[in-house]
Each structure stands twice: as structure tokens, then as C-alpha cells.
Amino acid sequence: MIGKISTGKSFRGCLNYLHEGRLQQSKALQEIEQEKKQAQVICYNQCFGNKKELIQQFNEVRYLNPKLSKPVLHASLSFAHSDQLSNQDKIDIGKQMAKDFGFENNQYVVIEHSDRQHQHLHIVANRVGYDAKTVSDSNNYKRMANFCRTMERKHQLEQVLSPRRFLFKEERMLPRQDIRKEALKDAIAKFLKQSTTMKEFQNKITAKGYEIELGRGIAFTDAQAVRFKGSQVGYPLLKIEKQLAQNRQMQQEEQQKPSLAQQLRETILRSQKEEQLKKQQEDKQEIKQSGGFRL
């Protein structure tokens, strides 16, 4: 189970994205994007209604603390392909998160998406309560990692390693192997050997189920939404580009080399010429020994 958490400024922007997907260039494309998301609110707390009504209700309460610039709490929970939770399990996990993070008495909704092969949820909460008090966002990343591990044990889900910085001191000393990281390293190494351009490498790695982010560096996200920077798996962008350049050079050198058949033909021709030259020399020697007459 992978959890991500953030705070934001706009309930409208957050809920529009979760219900309709990324903003598209036309109404037709937007409808396709919205249909693909298949957003469904499976749990309401201290609020109710459609998207427009939810936005209005959240905003009415946020202004009880007008000084707070980021009243939106947005969490996403992604489950492994092997994890199959019932609707009630998902609701229970959403309610448990609300309790653990201190917004169980605030407005929040649990939204399920069905646009990927693995199950995943989004939780949108108002950090401002009806009492005008604000839910703290201190240590949210560490709290999220601990929450995910707790839910994995409680609901018997596939377990994921937390980042070392979120572990207790004694746990950081234990040896560990991240299967996802090792699988990604193997895939990168394999497809790098088979590629000569970044585009070719991207096509091969995405066909394996990874998404690539390219910018000043490179990052990979697997099917369970686990993201690794290239440097985290020993393949920063500079190293990948260097390997691809070496592969291109080797390919060019191979193409410039004569083929085996051509080498064989050249060897035969060279042998034939040597035989002819040898025969000519023998004939000259024979004529010389016979006084200029061939017998």
C-alpha cells in the first residue's frame, strides 16, 4: 500500500481534478477523460451532495479560519494488484485515516477511481473544523508511512517498505531488499543494452509497465504508483545517456565492419591471386632454365 499526502489552496481545483481528470483541450476529450476516471464518492463525513455542492460546503467552513492559506488535505492510497478490498474495507481505511490524522470530525470525502488495474482511493478533507480549529500537517509524510504499514497488517495487504528516514533507529540498521527497486534496476539494465536512443529505451521500459518522467533528471513510476528517481536505482539520467551513446558508437562500428561472407570472399580472392602469382613465377623460372624455350 502506497500513501501520498499533500495540502493545497483550492477545493474546487482538487475536486474538479478527482471527478473529471486532467483538463483537456475540448469538451469531447474532457468527457472521455471523466468517463475514464470513473470517480465515485463512497464515503461522506459532515457533508453531502454532488461536486458543486461539496465545493460550496467545504469553502463555507474554510472561511472560519480565513488566515489559513492551505485548507485542503488530499491523500491518495494505492493498493497492490494482489490486494482486493471490499467497499466496506475502503470506507474503514478512510475513516481510520481521518481518526489517525485528526480530522474525523471535519468535512471529508473518500473517492474511488477505477481507471487503473489496481485499486486506489483519494481522501479530501477540510483542515478547518466547524470549531474553526485547524488540523496540523506536521510530520504528515512520516505519519502516512506509519499509517500504511498499520493498515497492511490490519487488512492483510501486501507490505511495502517505508523510507528509511521514517523508520525507528533500530529498524534503520536492519538489512532490507526492496523487490520493486530491484525489478526496476533489472528492467533498466536489460533495456539499456537493447537501445541506442532515449526514445527506443522509453518505448521498451513503458511497455514493461513503467512511466517515465524526463527533465533535468529521470524518474520511473511502476504499476503500483511507486516512484523512484533514476539516481535511487543507480541509473541517473547522465549515466543512461552515456550508455546509449556508447551503444550507438558500437552499432556504427559494427555496421562499418565487413560481413563474414564478404570477409570469406576477400580471403578466397586473395588466395586465388596468390596462386596465380605463384604460377606465373614458376612459369618464368621454367622458361629461364630452358634457355628461353617452353618445353
Side-chain angles (χ1 to χ4, degrees), residues 13-233:
C14 184
L15 289 170
N16 275 342
Y17 169 72
L18 294 179
H19 280 83
E20 301 174 8
R22 297 186 184 278
L23 185 63
Q24 302 297 312
Q25 296 178 342
S26 68
K27 184 177 179 180
L29 290 174
Q30 194 67 60
E31 290 176 352
I32 294 173
E33 177 75 3
Q34 183 175 348
E35 184 178 352
K36 185 175 68 173
K37 280 289 182 186
Q38 298 183 49
Q40 179 184 5
V41 181
I42 61 174
C43 179
Y44 297 86
N45 193 73
Q46 303 288 355
C47 58
F48 196 78
N50 58 31
K51 181 194 68 175
K52 184 177 180 180
E53 292 168 332
L54 288 173
I55 292 170
Q56 181 179 352
Q57 292 168 33
F58 275 97
N59 281 330
E60 287 173 351
V61 176
R62 74 174 288 182
Y63 290 122
L64 295 175
N65 185 355
K67 293 183 179 180
L68 183 65
S69 62
K70 293 185 176 181
V72 182
L73 185 147
H74 175 207
S76 63
L77 303 174
S78 297
F79 304 93
H81 287 273
S82 58
D83 295 334
Q84 296 298 319
L85 293 90
S86 67
N87 212 48
Q88 189 58 52
D89 288 334
K90 299 168 192 172
I91 293 172
D92 290 343
I93 289 174
K95 289 183 176 180
Q96 188 63 53
M97 182 183 174
K99 183 177 180 180
D100 290 359
F101 282 74
F103 59 85
E104 70 270 26
N105 296 320
N106 291 20
Q107 297 167 315
Y108 71 83
V109 290
V110 180
I111 299 174
E112 181 180 25
H113 283 165
S114 303
D115 58 336
R116 297 189 179 182
Q117 293 181 348
H118 63 278
Q119 295 178 323
H120 65 287
L121 307 173
H122 292 267
I123 300 168
V124 181
N126 198 336
R127 292 179 61 207
V128 181
Y130 286 99
D131 56 3
K133 293 182 180 179
T134 301
V135 173
S136 172
D137 62 349
S138 178
N139 293 319
N140 266 356
Y141 296 111
K142 182 176 182 179
R143 290 161 67 192
M144 175 59 85
N146 292 336
F147 172 74
C148 288
R149 304 297 82 77
T150 301
M151 291 300 98
E152 287 167 354
R153 292 190 294 270
K154 182 176 181 179
H155 293 272
Q156 298 181 337
L157 305 176
E158 184 175 325
Q159 295 191 7
V160 177
L161 294 174
S162 292
R164 283 189 181 274
R165 66 182 184 277
F166 297 155
L167 299 177
F168 293 109
K169 185 177 180 180
E170 57 273 16
E171 292 178 320
R172 295 176 194 168
M173 305 302 294
L174 298 175
R176 58 194 285 180
Q177 183 181 22
D178 191 330
I179 298 175
R180 287 187 173 89
K181 184 180 288 188
E182 294 302 318
L184 175 57
K185 287 173 66 175
D186 291 344
I188 293 173
K190 176 182 177 181
F191 297 129
L192 262 183
K193 290 180 180 178
Q194 301 174 359
S195 306
T196 57
T197 65
M198 181 60 74
K199 184 65 176 177
E200 187 179 2
F201 172 68
Q202 282 183 279
N203 290 340
K204 292 180 183 296
I205 201 83
T206 52
K208 188 70 174 178
Y210 294 96
E211 294 179 5
I212 290 185
E213 300 171 45
L214 267 176
R216 291 185 177 180
I218 191 167
F220 303 85
T221 303
D222 67 13
Q224 284 77 42
V226 182
R227 183 179 182 274
F228 294 104
K229 292 181 180 179
S231 56
Q232 290 178 297
V233 292

